[in-house]
Each structure stands twice: as structure tokens, then as C-alpha cells.
Amino acid sequence: MNNYDKILNYARKNNGYITTKEVETLGINRTFLTNLVNNNKIERVGTGIYKLFEYPIDNFYIMSTSSKNMCYSYATALYLHNLSDRIPLVYDVTVLYNYSGNLLNKDNVLLRYVSEDVFELGMTDVKTVNDLTVKCYDVERTLCDIIKDKDRMDREIYSKALKEYARSKNKDLLKLVKYAKRLNIEKEVVELMEVLL
């Protein structure tokens, strides 16, 4: 199997996507990617991110791959967890206070800044609709975030998410309260859950 086939096979196994970093991990020079683009075998969809033509564009994956140290949060996380059916036009992304990456220049990104001690709290891997893996806060962390910031949340998205969570068989109230404690909103969360449950 030649290097071109290796790249294309890898991309097929990864739901149509491959990054420059992955090509280098395979021990292949990145010029092979450029040649594949020039020969219309693969397309460049972001900095260091390539896709086979027959696979759909996945903006969640493209954005998460192009920027390290980011995590989907708030309304975007609710969508990824099926607690909202509103497809994000603006992506909610949480980063560290000292973040200086390429998401600063994107109009369709709303950055949320947190300190290092809570950045990874509740961070998990979720699958997009195209079965690609992205970093996203889990449901309980997301609920804590939207409760803490409820004045800036869309009312409809906010109340639907809370009601869905209250009905869910998979809710983890112990985890929710543990996170709420770490984020200094235990009182609000407990009171809200008492009303909903």
C-alpha cells in the first residue's frame, strides 16, 4: 500500500477526516496531503484538517481539531447531549483565561473563560451526528454552567434543558451537587432541583 492509499484509508476509518498531525504519526510526509488536495482526492477544511469529499462537513469536529484546549459548553453542549434541538449558529466554547488560540478571531464562537482548577471539571468525549469525537462538558457540568449564567441564557433553551434533565433516567444528582459545590452555586442548584423534582 502506498502513502496515498494509507492516508485515504485512515481518513475512511475516521469517518472521512484526517489531520496533518495524524499523517505525520503514520510516518508520512505532509506533502502527500498537498498532492491529494491538488488531485481532488481530498479537501482541506481547516488548518491542518482534511476531509474526503463524500463525507459531510462537521463543524463541531473541525473546530475542536483546529484548536487545542477548548471544550464545548452551554447551549452547544446541550445540543450535543440532545437536551436542545436548536442547532448552534454560534458555538459556545470554554477555554482557559490565558487562551490565545485561533478561536479568538471567529465570529461564530462565543468564548467562555474559566480558571485552570475547573477547566477539566466534567470534561468528556461525545460523538457528533457524524460519529466524530469532540470534547464537551458532561450534562451535569453544563447544567451548572447554565444555572450560574441563567441571565445570559435563552429562556426557552434554559427551561427545556432543566425539564429534560429532571425527566431523565440517567441524571446523576450527586455529581450535579458535587460540581455545584466546586463552582460555588450549590444553593441555587439544590433549590432548583427541589422545585423540578
Side-chain angles (χ1 to χ4, degrees):
M1 187 185 294
N2 66 33
N3 285 339
Y4 295 115
D5 289 336
K6 281 181 189 169
I7 291 170
L8 296 172
N9 277 348
Y10 186 98
R12 277 186 208 101
K13 286 179 184 162
N14 192 41
N15 295 306
Y17 286 80
I18 190 163
T19 64
T20 305
K21 199 175 186 176
E22 288 163 341
V23 167
E24 288 171 347
T25 304
L26 293 171
I28 300 170
N29 190 298
R30 60 174 63 192
T31 55
F32 283 89
L33 272 173
T34 308
N35 293 340
L36 284 169
V37 170
N38 293 339
N39 291 317
N40 288 324
K41 299 284 186 196
I42 201 165
E43 65 179 316
R44 184 176 177 271
V45 291
T47 308
I49 308 159
Y50 300 82
K51 173 184 96 56
L52 298 173
F53 285 99
E54 63 268 26
Y55 287 82
I57 283 281
D58 190 320
N59 290 321
F60 292 103
Y61 183 74
I62 293 167
M63 195 180 300
S64 73
T65 305
S66 68
S67 187
K68 295 192 297 282
N69 298 324
M70 62 152 281
C71 188
Y72 287 114
S73 54
Y74 292 82
T76 304
L78 291 174
Y79 175 78
L80 288 167
H81 287 298
N82 296 315
L83 288 172
S84 168
D85 50 14
R86 204 176 296 174
I87 299 168
L89 298 175
V90 174
Y91 298 91
D92 293 294
V93 173
T94 295
V95 293
L96 291 165
Y97 279 122
N98 62 357
Y99 179 80
S100 61
N102 64 6
L103 294 177
L104 291 168
N105 310 319
K106 295 203 183 285
D107 294 336
N108 64 340
V109 174
L110 177 58
L111 289 179
R112 316 284 188 146
Y113 296 91
V114 295
S115 57
E116 208 169 323
D117 62 317
V118 294
F119 178 60
E120 292 189 3
L121 181 71
M123 193 184 283
T124 188
D125 288 336
V126 297
K127 294 283 191 184
T128 68
V129 290
N130 300 309
D131 208 31
L132 291 154
T133 304
V134 296
K135 292 275 178 225
C136 178
Y137 285 127
D138 65 16
V139 173
E140 284 74 18
R141 167 64 190 265
T142 302
L143 285 183
C144 285
D145 285 341
I146 69 168
I147 291 167
K148 190 173 190 170
D149 229 354
K150 67 177 173 287
D151 296 335
R152 291 196 286 171
M153 285 295 300
D154 177 289
R155 282 268 161 245
E156 192 184 324
I157 290 175
Y158 176 79
S159 57
K160 182 180 186 288
L162 290 174
K163 285 174 190 161
E164 290 283 328
Y165 183 74
R167 278 196 296 265
S168 169
K169 289 176 172 59
N170 300 322
K171 62 180 168 288
D172 188 338
L173 295 172
L174 288 174
K175 190 198 280 185
L176 183 68
V177 172
K178 187 178 97 178
Y179 288 173
K181 230 178 237 179
R182 284 276 305 275
L183 298 165
N184 299 316
I185 52 162
E186 187 181 5
K187 186 172 179 283
E188 297 101 295
V189 168
V190 169
E191 284 173 1
L192 201 50
M193 285 301 124
E194 282 172 355
V195 171
L196 287 168
L197 302 170

